[in-house]
Amino acid sequence: MYSILWGVFMQANLQQLMDKGAVWRGGEWKNGGQNSGQHGASQFSAAEYASTGQPLLDQALGGGWRCQRVHELQCEYAFSGELSLLAPAIMAAASAARPVFWLAPPALPYAPAISGMLQQADVTNAENAQHIVLTPASEADTLWAAETILHSGQVGVLLLWADSLSTTAVRRLHLAAAETDAWVFVLTGIQNEEARSYATRLRILLTPDKTHAMAASVPRGQVQWQILKRHGGWPIRLPRQPLPRWPSLII
Amino acid sequence: MWVYVQLPSLQLDRMLALQPELAKRALVLYCEQQQQVIQCNGIAANMGIHPNSSLSDAWLLAEDLAPYRYREAQQRHLLQHLAADLYQVFAVISLDPPNGLWLDLKPMQKLYPDIRQSQEQLQLQLAPWQVRYHYGLGNTPLVAKMLAQSGVAAVGDIPIQYLPCDAKLQGQLVRMGLNTLGALQAIPRALAGQRLGKELVNLLARIQGEQHESLHYFQPPLWFYQRLTLLAETSGWQALRFPLKRLLQELEHYLEGRQQETRYLLLTFYHRDIEPTKLEIGLAHGGYLASELAAFCQLKMESLKLPAAVLEMSIQAKRLQPRSKEHGDLLHGGQKQRKSLPRLLNELQLRLGYSRVFGVQNRHDWLPERAWQRSAAGSAIQATHIPGRPLWLLPAPKPVQIQQWCLLRGPERYQPPWWQLTAGEAPYFAVPNAMEGSVASQNLQCVGHRDYWVARNQRGQPGWLFYDYQQECWWLQGWFS
Amino acid sequence: MAYAELHCLSHYSFLRAASAPGELVARAAELGYHSIAITDECSFAGLVKAWQAAKALPANGSGTEHFHLICGSEFRCEKFGTFVLLVENRQGYAELGKFISQCRRAAEKGSYAFHANDLLKNKLANCALLWKPPETALNAEVDSLGVEENNLFALANDLKKHFIDRSWLMYQRYLQANDRLHMRSFRQLSEKIAWPVVATGGVLMHHSQRLPLLHVLQSIHSHEPVADLGDKLAPNAEASLRDLDSLQQIFPATWLAETVRVSARCGFNLSELRYEYPAEVVPEGFTANGYLQKLGQQGLRWRYPNSIPEKIRTQLDRELELVAELGYAHFFLTIHDVVVFARQQGILHQGRGSAANSVLCYCLGITAVNPAQSDLLFERFISRERNEPPDIDVDFEHERREEVIQYIYKKYGRHRAALAATVITYRLRSALRDVGKALGFPEAQLQQLLHRLDRRDSEEDWRQQLQSMGVMNHPQGAHLLALTTELLGFPRHLSQHVGGFVIAAGELSDLVPVENAAMPERTVIQWDKDDIEALCLLKVDVLALGMLTAIRKSFALLPEFYQQQYTLASIPLDDPEVYRMLQKADSVGVFQIESRAQMNMLPRLKPKCFYDLVIQIAIVRPGPIQGDMVHPYLRRRAGLEPVSYPSPDVESVLQRTLGVPIFQEQVIKLAMVAAGFTGGEADALRRAMASWRSKGKLMGFEEKLIQGMLARGYSQEFAERLFAQICGFGEYGFPESHSASFANLAYVSAWLKRHCPAAFYVGLLNSQPMGFYTVSQLVQDARRHQVEILPISINTSNWDHQLQKSDGEPAIRLGFRLIKGLAKKDIEALLARRPTSGFADMVEFEHYALASSLSGSAQEQLASANAFAELSGNRYQTRWDTTKLGEQLPLLAGAETQVGDYALAAPSELADMQEDYSTTGLTLGRHPLAILNDHDVLPKHRKASELASLRAGQLVTVIGLVTNRQRPGTASGVTFMTLEDESGTINVVLWQDLARRQRRQWMKARLLQVKGILEMEGDVIHIVAGDMQDLSGQLPIAQLKSRDFH
């Protein structure tokens, strides 16, 4: 169980070490992290990985998002390109005619954009892609719904927005996710303490572009990904790059 | 011996029984397509309005006419309901939709030897219904019906308009002065056959009762109803689960026999001295397994407080329908509590609330906030051809400071539906005919439309804004994640 | 920056665009456009109206005299998108006109057949082509457009070869999601097929505020309410005429500049159209004027055999000289040719309209009104200022008019002659219903609104009526009123003019496209009569008049039954007995003066001479009534009021109508004489008067008129009263020329009724349906004039009613045409075989019926109409004997059923009467009232014949069959009703409040009892109704219908 506190006490130099992926955190590499202990070191074929759509990030994550796992994405503000990283997974679910569940989303998933995206990527049998939105009244209901959905086995991708999941809640999600062949993503704000055991934890930081000229061809915003936790690798901070584009947006 | 009950305004009378305040006006039920009156009340009748007079005439004759649409299905339902009510007294009933039914008195001979007693029973049974009716007695169904409809005393006097034969033949009979059934029956049957055709001869035979009348007989509708008295007064949910299980097993057995599934359960818990507590369970998709239904009932029971101890309980399963095929995935394998998608959705809706679990669907409309709609959870999204739409739509547009944004792409101009705005704020006023006076030359934009732009805020997030010319301000409609 | 709009639709592209041609042109000029093209879909229907609007506007740098209008048309093709053809010159105009005609005539009415390849096959060398590829092509990758089956590149290259440098790609932008994609496709396509790109608007409305109306039109087109149309509706108002700054932001500058270069090529103006008359009417060796001169002189000798009055001779010379000067000879010769054909075929005819003002027309036999009789105004006929051909309508017998029309088609050919169009526009009820449906009003509520909207009230205040019905508390109430107002007058579809023919020297489609009419082998041009007038094209009106048929049929009977022979012109004039008959209001069946309102006027006006008849016909019309000229005229005629004229000039004009202006011509003459108007200005006043209500142009004349009269010393009061009377005339002022032609026929029909009643009634009865009364009422009137009516008889009757000698006097034998449900062809075969002596008995009839395969139902109808009365007993028995519905078992057939095998009781008198009414619509037996009185089933009441002997003001009760209900135009909302009993008719007057209170009684009743006050004024007797009772229950007859003119 990784117990050293992170965040506030981090010294600048440790930070640089971190950047170069030179700091090794015990127990991470070999047995693929405690959370999947019961299975032993099962091999994961490529099919179980969904790309993030960004080669650098895929490589850093050892091939992309692993299915049967719970991945956490932390963003300073909602709507900063986080969904574009999950697009390949969503489309894979669509072509496998497995439902995508939007659990407590910050706004309404817009049907024309979803079907536009499916059409553009001309996903096979896109016509029976099911998207189900749930807006539970309380976080307890949200958790219950997530578990019920995962237990039902009828899910391709589960997207869950929650700001204060307890460690036990996360562990229950892990157990449930392990029994399905779905991708589970938890999207939250920036979290300081690291107690919860996610397969991967990615923090997305948007840095505004310096010049804010009204010129038509102004450079897009800059984004930086910080992988705070990943399977079989050190936390690493990737260089800034332009904000990824949601597939259906043509600028 | 047959009785035919004619109910000329069944649906209207029932409507009046429920809303007595309408009784003072001229009331008609009209058929939408033919624009014809089907049923009318007394006040309308003595204004000269009668069934199948045209709606426009009705308007002409009654200044303050109150027209309501005639509902075919409801009329059928009412007739069946009435028959079911009569079924408790008269064993042999045959419906004659839309507004009549036959009662066969022969089997009732033992119970009510004298016909007058049957008539009294009939009046007794119909009294609570508060409907206008008149009935005819005849030794064949056809005679009974004609007597009831024509209201004449003797069979011979029945005008030939009430004979069930085509209007052309009736016209020819009138042309020969043969105006009543009696006149027809006086003609030697063979000669009548030659002159007036076989159809009329068969009809006369039916009237005389020489031919057997094949009527199809009424059966009350089926639904499952079971009531159980508890061994001991119970007040906790846990205790109630066992009797419930037993009732559900019987229901499963009933449904299994008919290969049906139910989409509506009504649990009623009877207390000693207060109103029984009712618990309705609607299922988005049909169910029939006792275990499955038990789980649903438990979900609902948890959220309902029992006012007092329960002495008896009953279960009623309605809206029975043939089993849909989805249930075949039991062999899906895998671990505990595997369930089908429809069942999962049922569960989610029951627990979280029906309105909190929905699908999203496209809608053919220009305006962005009208271009999508909620749909049944689990339905697929149809294709669309509009490129460049944001993934996220704010439930309601948020005002924004345009200075913090830089416009990238647009405009797309859309006009919100003018017919929904009241005339005052409608972006619309009658344009004076340009030919005559000179139109004010200043450049009048079509007031009230919106220009949509893709834009980026200071943090670099791409969003979807629109400028509303009516309110002259900028709004955020959605985000490109 | 200059911009020319090259693709714009007016509301003549039915249900596709929301603005009139005039509105589009005016708005374009106002926005400073260089020019505008009106390009309706496969049609030139809106061009003339657009041209008239453009003529009134200054040019905007297009170098032309007025605002430049380009003529063009749009064609749509499913696979290849939208094409617009613009006319470059006069030759191009003819080519495009021909092309439109071809597309229209290859499809039935209201549609056209067009495929992109037609552009290659037809000669369009003088037209420019604009092309917008279909939406699917614009959304796809450009290089994929060469794909086989709809190969755009191949088409583009072929078109390029054909149109060379006159073809452009047409780019349109409506600020939509795929704008950028389309812009890119256009650029790539333009490069690939080397066509330049031009910006166009694809305009559907002149102003963005017309968007709601456009949506309503789209909703009407797709039969769905606006709220359900979703993205089928126009997304925004960009398809409107946009100001120059917006255009600059939306379109690249080069594509905008290109519009002016295209416009510069299209210099054609509609004023270049020259109309030439058909040449074949002038025989060899004659000039048009020479031949006309010859015909004129011949006519003079024919019309005035013994002595030609000097006034007439000089008038004829003056007319001929003016006709020669203005070059209208061909016009008269064309009409003369048609009239000669009619005379040869024995088709009765009579010219009316402005032609009746001329001696020339009378001599050519076009009109039958002797100019010497009435003081006609030559200026009204032809005037130098107006310089447009005269308007001549010729009425023909309505049953034989089709022969005249086919004669014209045969003589000039379908490619040179066609009927003018009439534009069917949205009236109040149709507009309200369609807008209501579009806004989602429930059908029942619309039904209610339409029903309770009283048609009688003039159109202005329909809005108040609707508001009082609470339409405003419906959320769409305000929209319903506003949009209905705007939809009023919008064209719905082209129909054919009642009889206006346009005949061209060469191809008609060089002047105006021709399309199919609804009726088979009829063709229609795309312009209506106002367009034709605006471009000075010749129009010949071939109209139908039922009365001419009736008169001709009566004339044919005179020799045999009255030993006399007459023609329209030879009827003895001013016969005092005829006028005495009319003065007693005994005018049932007489042309034009048989209506209830006329009958009320006849005893008060007491016409004594032909001119009195001319006045009688003109005076009972809404115009004079609203201008309240009726009462002053009657008072002056009865000598109760002094006749005074403010000046000798006025006296010369109004002397014949005792100082009260009644005719349109008088108003024009007064304007000339009293206010100093010239002939042309006066006629402009006439035209304004004819349509002042909608366009309100009359106000412009008020100032000029009053000043003119004040300058000539007339009092302010007289000037204002005259102007008020002119406004009162408005649409309804009746020209004296029309009145004179009608008076001619009225006198002839009255003469026949007085002197040869039997022939008069048979003529009328054989020309039904016509006129004001039902067959039953005409028969009743005939019997009241001692004309014997003989019932239908199988042995003597023919299809038509005919005259038969019956003890010396001519009697009318009713014909089989009277029997309902019996067609002429059913019985023709039988009548052909009928032995002259008729059938001895039913068996012999059966034999002949079988031989001529008379249908079973025909026999039954004859039996019920009691046609076999002479042969067998009662009609029930004959009906029984003739009915054989059972299958014919071979061996039993003959023996089994023979006549009289089953005796049926005879019908009662009441049942007999009922059978009469249900089979023939009338009874010769006793009047229903007489029968009911025998059974004394009815309460105590007075008979019609007794009323004359009672006191005025007495309370009376009368009972009668309601024979007609009439609500005349008078605004007071009074209703006339006629009751008929066995002794005659009773006139009942019903005030509005009673009508509304006892709506059921009078609206639906057939037999009505009326209690009211007797009113007498000379011979005119009315009962003002106080209370009404519906006694229809007593009357077993359902078929007794009344003639309702609302």
Side-chain angles (χ1 to χ4, degrees), chain B residues 72-121:
Chain B
E72 181 77 35
Q74 209 208 340
Q75 175 84 6
R76 250 197 335 275
H77 173 69
L78 279 174
L79 195 63
Q80 278 183 345
H81 202 48
L82 186 105
D85 208 24
L86 290 180
Y87 196 69
Q88 286 149 10
V89 175
F90 296 93
V92 178
I93 301 178
S94 164
L95 295 187
D96 177 26
N99 43 30
L101 52 86
W102 278 285
L103 304 173
D104 184 355
L105 295 190
K106 199 148 46 4
M108 316 303 292
Q109 223 66 41
K110 294 189 289 319
L111 214 58
Y112 313 111
D114 178 346
I115 297 203
R116 250 194 345 292
Q117 285 166 317
S118 312
Q119 283 165 337
E120 274 143 30
Q121 271 304 324

Side-chain angles (χ1 to χ4, degrees), chain C residues 662-707:
Chain C
I662 291 180
F663 299 112
Q664 252 187 17
E665 286 89 340
Q666 285 175 319
V667 168
I668 297 171
K669 262 197 227 155
L670 269 181
M672 291 164 67
V673 157
F677 274 46
T678 64
E681 284 163 341
D683 200 69
L685 172 65
R686 176 187 67 79
R687 211 186 298 285
M689 259 163 62
S691 61
W692 80 277
R693 193 188 295 272
S694 53
K695 298 208 180 53
K697 283 209 207 64
L698 208 56
M699 293 314 148
F701 288 97
E702 181 172 14
E703 203 42 43
K704 197 162 186 337
L705 202 69
I706 292 181
Q707 291 316 330

Side-chain angles (χ1 to χ4, degrees), chain B residues 60 172 194-195 366 413 443, chain C residues 233 236 243 860 886 999:
Chain B
L60 220 52
Q172 289 178 320
Q194 282 300 334
R195 287 289 186 195
W366 289 119
R413 186 162 293 176
N443 173 0
Chain C
L233 288 179
N236 53 36
D243 57 80
E860 283 158 20
R999 183 190 287 267

Side-chain angles (χ1 to χ4, degrees), chain A residues 212 214, chain B residues 400-407 456-458 465 474:
Chain A
H212 197 69
M214 289 299 275
Chain B
V400 287
Q401 297 303 334
I402 189 60
Q403 300 73 3
Q404 297 164 359
W405 293 78
C406 104
L407 299 180
R456 175 180 310 292
N457 67 4
Q458 278 153 343
L465 309 182
W474 285 92

